[in-house]
């Protein structure tokens, strides 16, 4: 698929998505959000894709937020509609995807950019990255799930500090309180994400989808335990479950087919 604001390619079952508006520090305008919605839906329905890496073009920014020039004139109704549409089709769609998403944070991840990274299942940051939710400096609050996901990831106290001060944190600080999984030098960023997805690629695809759904349910649903029970029960009906157990018993590597 051809995009105006994204680069995308599949290599060895990994879909690489690069937000490609380097001059605007990869800020998310409406058409970029529409394209992200399309590529996320594509990843979810395409068997060839076993995992997704999202990054930003250049060496300065992952995504420096929603495009301030574009949303400066929105009224309350437009703000509500766009927040809901964006959350459904981009941010929640990533979090609820059956494929694992990794944000490879190669610089500034601010506002909607950090919200995009937080919607992903894992985050790896380069050592030059800066992360923050500066919305209150613009008289806003985070509108793409940031108040919820930051609180889930770092706890109430740190989330309130970051959101109300609007101060950025370094990659190293973010790792200390669990906002990013790893910090690596910039040249190693994509290979670290690939290393994780290459491990996941060897596992049973339906089990990965069920695990993602269950973990996400633990923070987003009232009864995540019940979702886990349902997903756990479904695993027993898959061929991959039988293959995994047989391979263990026969002391060989499993051959998972995603059924
Ligand atoms: N939007 C548009 N353009 C941006 C941008 C952004 N968020 N961030 C940077 N740019 C542009 C700059 O305007 C500049 O463009 P030119 O002037 O060259 O044309 C270019 O990128 C380079 O930026 P700087 O010259 O500022 O670069 P510096 O190195 O000096 O500074 C910086 C880097 C990242 C510290 C600085 O650019 C910065 O503070 N950027 C803004 C960060 C920010 O406040 N982001 C927005 C957070 S609020 C909504 C839902 C959610 C949201 C909004 C609406 N609805 C549902 C309606 C979310 C809001 C946010 O994300």
């Amino acid at each position: 698929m051809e995009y105006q604001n994204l680069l995308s390619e599949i290599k060895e079952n990994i879909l690489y998505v690069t937000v490609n508006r380097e001059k605007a520090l990869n800020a998310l305008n409406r058409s970029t959000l529409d394209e992200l919605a399309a590529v996320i839906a594509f990843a979810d329905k395409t068997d060839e894709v076993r995992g997704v890496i999202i990054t930003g073009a250049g060496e300065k920014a992952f995504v420096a937020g929603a495009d301030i020039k574009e949303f400066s004139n929105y009224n309350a109704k437009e703000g509500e509609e766009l927040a809901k549409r964006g959350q459904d089709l981009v941010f929640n769609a990533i979090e609820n995807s059956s494929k694992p998403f990794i944000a490879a944070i190669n610089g500034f991840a601010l506002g909607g950019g950090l919200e995009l990274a937080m919607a992903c299942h894992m985050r790896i940051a380069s050592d030059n990255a800066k992360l923050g939710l500066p919305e209150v400096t613009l008289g806003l609050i985070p509108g793409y799930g940031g108040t919820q996901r930051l609180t889930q990831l770092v706890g109430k106290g740190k989330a309130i500090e970051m959101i109300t001060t609007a101060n950025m944190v370094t990659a190293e600080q973010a790792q200390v309180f669990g906002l990013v999984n790893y910090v690596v030098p910039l040249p190693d960023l994509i290979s670290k994400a690939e290393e994780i997805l290459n491990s996941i690629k060897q596992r049973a695809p339906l089990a990965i989808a069920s695990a993602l759904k269950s973990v996400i349910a633990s923070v987003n649903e009232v009864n995540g335990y019940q979702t886990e029970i349902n997903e756990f029960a479904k695993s027993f009906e898959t061929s991959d479950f039988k293959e995994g157990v047989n391979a263990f018993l026969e002391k060989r590597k499993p051959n998972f087919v995603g059924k």
Side-chain angles (χ1 to χ4, degrees):
M1 236 181 302
E2 283 292 311
Y3 300 103
Q4 301 297 313
N5 307 288
L6 303 179
L7 303 174
S8 84
E9 67 168 329
I10 303 175
K11 276 188 294 184
E12 295 179 16
N13 303 103
I14 296 175
L15 174 64
Y16 297 78
V17 177
T18 304
V19 180
N20 191 28
R21 299 186 71 222
E22 195 177 340
K23 285 197 178 124
L25 302 189
N26 303 319
L28 300 174
N29 59 5
R30 282 172 87 149
S31 64
T32 307
L33 285 164
D34 286 344
E35 291 182 0
L36 278 170
V39 83
I40 294 158
F42 166 81
D44 209 41
K45 65 171 192 239
T46 305
D47 288 343
E48 189 190 350
V49 175
R50 297 288 309 280
V52 183
I53 297 173
I54 301 186
T55 194
E59 298 194 347
K60 188 165 172 184
F62 171 71
V63 168
D67 193 316
I68 299 173
K69 289 164 194 158
E70 203 177 62
F71 70 70
S72 58
N73 294 322
Y74 289 170
N75 59 32
K77 193 164 181 309
E78 282 173 303
E80 185 184 343
E81 276 168 16
L82 287 164
K84 183 156 176 18
R85 189 175 138 76
Q87 289 201 22
D88 285 349
L89 298 179
V90 177
F91 299 81
N92 295 351
I94 291 174
E95 188 171 74
N96 295 328
S97 176
S98 57
K99 313 292 171 69
F101 278 66
I102 297 183
I105 303 172
N106 55 311
F108 290 109
L110 303 175
L114 180 55
E115 290 175 303
L116 180 66
M118 292 193 296
C120 292
H121 302 109
M122 288 164 268
R123 283 148 295 285
I124 302 169
S126 57
D127 50 15
N128 66 326
K130 295 259 177 67
L131 301 85
L133 291 177
E135 281 85 346
V136 295
T137 65
L138 301 167
L140 288 172
I141 66 162
Y144 286 132
T147 61
Q148 305 305 296
R149 292 197 178 96
L150 186 63
T151 308
Q152 291 161 4
L153 285 163
V154 307
K156 195 165 64 173
K158 199 74 202 171
I160 288 175
E161 180 187 333
M162 281 183 68
I163 292 168
T164 56
T165 65
N167 290 338
M168 295 183 210
V169 299
T170 63
E172 285 77 12
Q173 290 169 324
Q175 188 182 22
V176 168
F177 49 78
L179 181 52
V180 302
N181 299 49
Y182 297 97
V183 179
V184 296
L186 183 60
D188 301 338
L189 186 63
I190 299 299
S191 57
K192 183 67 194 172
E194 288 169 341
E195 181 191 314
I196 295 174
L197 289 180
N198 286 336
S199 285
I200 295 174
K201 270 161 49 182
Q202 294 171 48
R203 318 303 177 211
L206 297 181
I208 295 299
S210 282
L212 290 174
K213 189 169 172 183
S214 299
V215 173
I216 296 306
S218 76
V219 287
N220 285 352
E221 288 182 18
V222 178
N223 195 345
Y225 295 102
Q226 189 56 50
T227 304
E228 185 186 274
I229 291 167
N230 298 345
E231 293 299 313
F232 183 70
K234 265 169 51 187
S235 315
F236 288 93
E237 288 168 10
T238 66
S239 310
D240 280 347
F241 165 68
K242 293 180 182 65
E243 168 63 10
V245 172
N246 287 338
F248 175 79
L249 296 174
E250 292 161 16
K251 298 188 187 300
R252 61 175 173 82
K253 275 190 144 192
N255 178 22
F256 292 125
V257 294
K259 295 214 163 78

